[in-house]
Amino acid sequence: MAKNSKLVLIAIAYSAFVVLGLFDGLLGVAWPGMRGTFALPVDALGVLLPLGTGGYILASALNGRLITRYGLAVLLFASAGLTAAGRGLQAAAPAWWLVLLAAPLAGLGIGLLDAGMNTFASARFRPRLLNWLHASFGIGTTLGALVMTGILTLGLTWRSGLGLIAGLNGVLLLAFILTRRRWQLEESVDPAAGVAYARNRETLRKPIVWASVLLFFLYTGLEIGLGHWAYTLLTESRGVAETTAGLWTTFYWGSFTVGRLLLGFIETNLVRLVRLALAGAALGILAIALNLGPGLTLFGLLLAGSAQAPVFPALIAETPGRVGRGHAPNAIGFQIGAAGLGVAILPGLAGWLGDGFGLEMIVWFLLGCAVLEFLLHEIVARRTRVAVAPSTAD
């Protein structure tokens, strides 16, 4: 029974992350249609994303406190319900301001799910299962781009895509309710070892937490930024057919997902893995930026997607060891919040640069972010080695 119960939780957790990824993959393909419906400029995406991030960051930053007070199950109920309501309102909105108004509601739900499930997984799942959890997010983003391309091909609009996400979150809410007694963190805490959850301000006193927060900010802004703008760049700047551009965007998310699935079978040094991954992502984006032909551009998308695959789950898996188990729920919440802030700010900033200096500027901006991300990871890795060296020597 215990084994079956765990398998049920794993299945629901993976399904939740598939649903979580749908919007990120869908939005890049849906955005030109949304922009056309409401007669918006290309950089209006920079207004939508920050509004959705407000609730996301709030939920993530309070992750440890909310879990301690209400329990993980209640957070998961709220996450699915709020996301369903937010996406449903956006799908039915007759005016742009209503789409914007619903964005913080959906963002709050996404933040609760992302931070809460990552906390649960880092405590209760082995690293391999954690990697596959994030591969599920990649499956969602891949399906989102593919489904939205199919919806548009059938002559439907972006509203159908958002409505689908709202409905799936309703199903997810039901699954959480039916398994509510199983979403517990207590089994991960050993009272004999004196493990206790720290306060937020105590966690924020650790410099490594701040460095990790900035790393997550850059990583997700780059990952989602490239996914959001690839379709627009290909169709409006490089003359690629819409169907082809949609497939190439799907290939980007697909390579990302396949990379995570395969890496789940490999046991290796996480620091070295992330170092190679970030270097590969920078090379892939450089190949796109050079614009030397469709073949090199597609290669760049595939390389950038697959190279980024292990970064997020590897950094999450290392968090309890870097900051201590008592600080882990808070630190993970801060990291997830910073990830949401990166999604809101960096793609929007890229769009602003593209609107002012041409769409090709988007890729060069993302390349700069990739280089900065690589350098920051080297700093975090070195500080961690220095911090643990004395105890290791002892």
Side-chain angles (χ1 to χ4, degrees):
M1 178 62 70
K3 182 177 180 179
N4 291 337
S5 176
K6 184 175 182 179
L7 290 176
V8 169
L9 293 185
I10 291 173
I12 294 176
Y14 286 6
S15 298
F17 261 52
V18 170
V19 175
L20 183 67
L22 284 175
F23 181 75
D24 287 328
L26 179 148
L27 182 59
V29 180
W31 177 240
M34 294 178 69
R35 187 159 62 89
T37 297
F38 301 111
L40 302 169
V42 67
D43 59 347
L45 186 64
V47 178
L48 176 63
L49 293 178
L51 286 174
T53 303
Y56 183 97
I57 293 175
L58 177 62
S60 301
L62 295 177
N63 179 57
R65 181 179 298 179
L66 292 174
I67 288 175
T68 300
R69 182 167 184 177
Y70 300 107
L72 179 63
V74 174
L75 266 66
L76 295 178
F77 299 162
S79 71
L82 289 170
T83 306
R87 296 302 178 217
L89 288 173
Q90 288 179 324
W96 176 239
W97 68 268
L98 286 174
V99 176
L100 298 179
L101 187 65
L105 189 65
L108 182 61
I110 292 171
L112 291 173
L113 176 62
D114 204 355
M117 193 62 75
N118 270 293
T119 300
F120 180 84
S122 67
R124 300 281 295 276
F125 290 175
R126 300 191 307 275
R128 176 176 297 178
L129 294 179
L130 183 60
N131 206 27
W132 286 334
L133 175 70
H134 288 273
S136 299
F137 175 84
I139 291 173
T141 56
T142 304
L143 290 176
L146 185 61
V147 168
M148 193 68 246
T149 299
I151 287 173
L152 296 177
T153 301
L154 291 174
L156 302 175
T157 71
W158 58 270
R159 297 183 187 276
S160 298
L162 292 182
L164 175 63
I165 293 176
L168 290 175
N169 273 279
V171 174
L172 194 58
L173 173 59
L174 179 60
F176 286 141
I177 291 174
L178 293 176
T179 57
R180 59 189 177 275
R181 298 184 185 277
R182 301 177 185 179
W183 298 102
Q184 304 290 335
L185 292 175
E186 284 78 2
E187 292 179 22
S188 67
V189 178
D190 181 5
V195 177
Y197 292 129
R199 296 175 182 271
N200 281 346
R201 62 175 176 270
E202 295 170 345
T203 302
L204 289 173
R205 292 193 186 108
K206 290 178 167 287
I208 193 65
V209 171
W210 287 98
S212 298
V213 161
L214 182 55
L215 184 59
F216 273 78
F217 172 83
L218 289 170
Y219 170 75
T220 53
L222 174 61
E223 170 200 318
I224 302 301
L226 184 56
H228 280 346
W229 289 113
Y231 183 86
T232 301
L233 175 74
L234 292 171
T235 56
E236 298 187 17
S237 179
R238 301 189 180 181
V240 177
E242 292 183 355
T243 301
T244 301
L247 288 175
W248 285 14
T249 303
T250 300
F251 292 159
Y252 166 73
W253 294 118
S255 64
F256 185 90
T257 304
V258 170
R260 282 185 174 170
L261 289 172
L262 294 178
L263 286 166
F265 294 101
I266 299 174
E267 299 289 344
T268 186
N269 181 282
L270 293 180
V271 173
R272 186 181 302 116
L273 177 63
V274 173
R275 178 180 293 125
L276 292 174
L278 295 180
L283 289 175
I285 297 171
L286 176 61
I288 300 170
L290 291 175
N291 192 18
L292 297 178
L296 187 62
T297 297
L298 178 58
F299 170 78
L301 285 170
L302 294 174
L303 177 58
S306 58
Q308 292 178 94
V311 177
F312 197 104
L315 294 177
I316 289 290
E318 285 193 322
T319 297
R322 289 187 189 275
V323 304
R325 291 174 63 191
H327 292 278
N330 294 334
I332 289 174
F334 297 147
Q335 289 170 171
I336 298 299
L341 192 62
V343 170
I345 293 178
L346 293 183
L349 181 56
W352 178 80
L353 291 171
D355 198 42
F357 300 97
L359 291 175
E360 295 295 330
M361 181 59 69
I362 292 175
V363 195
W364 291 104
F365 169 74
L366 294 177
L367 178 60
C369 291
V371 173
L372 181 59
E373 181 186 2
F374 176 86
L375 295 175
L376 180 61
H377 174 259
E378 292 304 300
I379 294 173
V380 170
R382 178 166 297 185
R383 288 184 66 89
T384 302
R385 286 201 301 270
V386 170
V388 302
S391 61
T392 301
D394 292 340

